[in-house]
Amino acid sequence: MLNDFRKFLSRGNVLDMAVGIIIGIAFGSVVSSLVNNIIMPPIGLLIGKVNFSDLFINLSNKHYSTLAAAKAAGAPTINYGVFVNTVINFLIIAFAVFLMITVIYKAQKKYQKSAAPAPVTTKKCPYCKTDIPIDAVRCPNCTSDLSNIEKKS
């Protein structure tokens, strides 16, 4: 069982997946920083100097001016501002992945179109219609002499 597990881990697609997950986590933290520190402050300023990460609904009877104060007091809250930031993070990550996949597919299509066709290595015997090597002068299947046919064409 340990041998099978080792074989599974050493397969290429498992390693590729692990690298993808690590890069995805790093990409997610970069996007979170982009949303929280670059995108949301100007949006909050345009809406009326609102900090989205401080938007919450207090479920207790006491008043708290900030989400941090409510959390410090242990008050139950619905943190819809944090949820808005998370939704924007998701949309940016999804759009970035969409762009990346689109570029990869276009590159693959371009590469597939520009790839040279494989060289011809076989031909059909005019008598028995089987595939034979292109340099053959006698068909190995029907033993027909092909040297005269090639000289005529």
Side-chain angles (χ1 to χ4, degrees):
M1 188 167 151
L2 187 59
N3 240 356
D4 290 340
F5 185 65
R6 189 177 308 137
K7 286 179 186 176
F8 171 75
L9 288 179
S10 65
R11 288 181 19 201
N13 54 357
V14 173
L15 296 175
D16 291 344
M17 184 180 66
V19 169
I21 290 170
I22 292 167
I23 289 175
I25 291 169
F27 183 70
S29 62
V30 169
V31 171
S32 293
S33 177
L34 173 73
V35 169
N36 294 333
N37 301 318
I38 305 295
I39 295 175
M40 294 311 286
I43 291 174
L45 183 65
L46 289 174
I47 293 177
K49 297 184 180 179
V50 176
N51 182 359
F52 278 89
S53 60
D54 271 342
L55 297 177
F56 68 100
I57 297 173
N58 184 4
L59 299 177
S60 70
N61 293 333
K62 298 179 182 175
H63 174 71
Y64 300 101
S65 58
T66 65
L67 178 60
K71 282 186 176 183
T77 59
I78 296 175
N79 307 325
Y80 66 91
V82 175
F83 178 74
V84 169
N85 282 351
T86 305
V87 168
I88 292 173
N89 281 350
F90 170 77
L91 292 174
I92 290 172
I93 290 173
F95 185 68
V97 168
F98 167 75
L99 290 177
M100 183 176 65
I101 297 296
T102 303
V103 168
I104 289 171
Y105 281 158
K106 285 183 181 181
Q108 284 178 341
K109 283 182 182 179
K110 187 176 182 179
Y111 176 74
Q112 288 172 351
K113 286 181 183 177
S114 66
V120 178
T121 59
T122 61
K123 63 181 176 182
K124 292 262 185 213
C125 172
Y127 300 107
C128 67
K129 306 296 183 206
T130 58
D131 287 334
I132 58 173
I134 200 157
D135 295 336
V137 292
R138 185 171 293 277
C139 178
N141 300 308
C142 67
T143 67
S144 299
D145 182 16
L146 305 174
S147 59
N148 294 334
I149 296 171
E150 291 175 1
K151 290 178 183 174
K152 291 178 185 176
S153 7

